[in-house]
Amino acid sequence: MSTGPMPMPMPCAACKLLRRRCTTQCIFLPYFPPSESHNFEAVHRVFGASNLTKLLQKIPFDRREDAVKSMVYEAKARVMDPVYGSVGLIASLQSQVLHLHDELIAATAEATSLRVQLSQTMSLQGHATMDIQQPLHSSCDHDFSIYDIGLQEEI
Ligand SMILES: [Zn+2]
């Protein structure tokens, strides 16, 4: 009597699309349930099932779910944007970060200017002056260079 891997009553999304027999030892089974066929379709379209199999075999079991999630994300981004894929999303978010950083600098400068005006007005009226040297935001000196991955000139 054979003691090989048991066939699954319902194939995973990968085996269903590839029209092959799904077993309890199917490498895709834990990550592509039948209800999420669109995830495997995207990954298969962009990376190919064979490449995905080879990649998963090189990754320890406890990291495979993360690997699949990131590949699904990348594949869906590539399907939506064939030119830039997930790099397009990164560049867009990087641009937003830089824009918001510029806005923060402008808002901080305006706040400082208003504090100076307020302090001058109060001193003209004989009130105690405010300490305008106190920074409003100690967090505005973040190192944004970590977001600079050299995409801005290319995209
Ligand atoms: Zn399967």
Side-chain angles (χ1 to χ4, degrees):
M1 197 165 166
S2 171
T3 56
M6 295 289 289
M8 293 300 294
M10 193 161 180
C12 72
C15 291
K16 190 176 178 191
L17 186 81
L18 300 172
R19 296 176 188 281
R20 65 179 203 182
R21 187 168 163 265
C22 192
T23 70
T24 50
Q25 293 186 1
C26 170
I27 195 166
F28 300 126
L29 181 62
Y31 316 111
F32 297 104
S35 57
E36 294 174 18
S37 59
H38 53 284
N39 285 348
F40 185 78
E41 284 171 26
V43 171
H44 180 46
R45 192 165 146 192
V46 173
F47 298 108
S50 174
N51 287 329
L52 180 59
T53 302
K54 286 181 208 158
L55 192 126
L56 287 178
Q57 285 169 341
K58 291 180 195 165
I59 297 173
F61 279 104
D62 63 335
R63 306 302 314 275
R64 287 184 184 180
E65 187 174 353
D66 286 344
V68 167
K69 281 180 184 171
S70 70
M71 289 184 80
V72 167
Y73 186 86
E74 284 183 56
K76 284 181 171 177
R78 184 64 59 178
V79 168
M80 285 193 320
D81 181 352
V83 176
Y84 294 115
S86 60
V87 173
L89 294 169
I90 293 167
S92 170
L93 292 171
Q94 182 184 25
S95 171
Q96 283 181 44
V97 167
L98 294 174
H99 176 72
L100 291 170
H101 184 235
D102 288 347
E103 281 191 356
L104 179 61
I105 288 172
T108 304
E110 189 179 347
T112 302
S113 170
L114 290 171
R115 286 168 68 100
V116 169
Q117 286 177 34
L118 179 62
S119 180
Q120 288 169 347
T121 304
M122 288 174 80
S123 72
L124 284 175
Q125 292 175 350
H127 296 290
T129 56
M130 292 174 64
D131 179 12
I132 60 167
Q133 298 303 320
Q134 183 185 345
L136 286 177
H137 295 281
S138 59
S139 61
C140 73
D141 57 349
H142 280 304
D143 179 10
F144 283 86
S145 63
I146 59 166
Y147 301 105
D148 182 11
I149 55 173
L151 297 170
Q152 286 188 308
E153 286 77 28
E154 294 167 35
I155 295 175

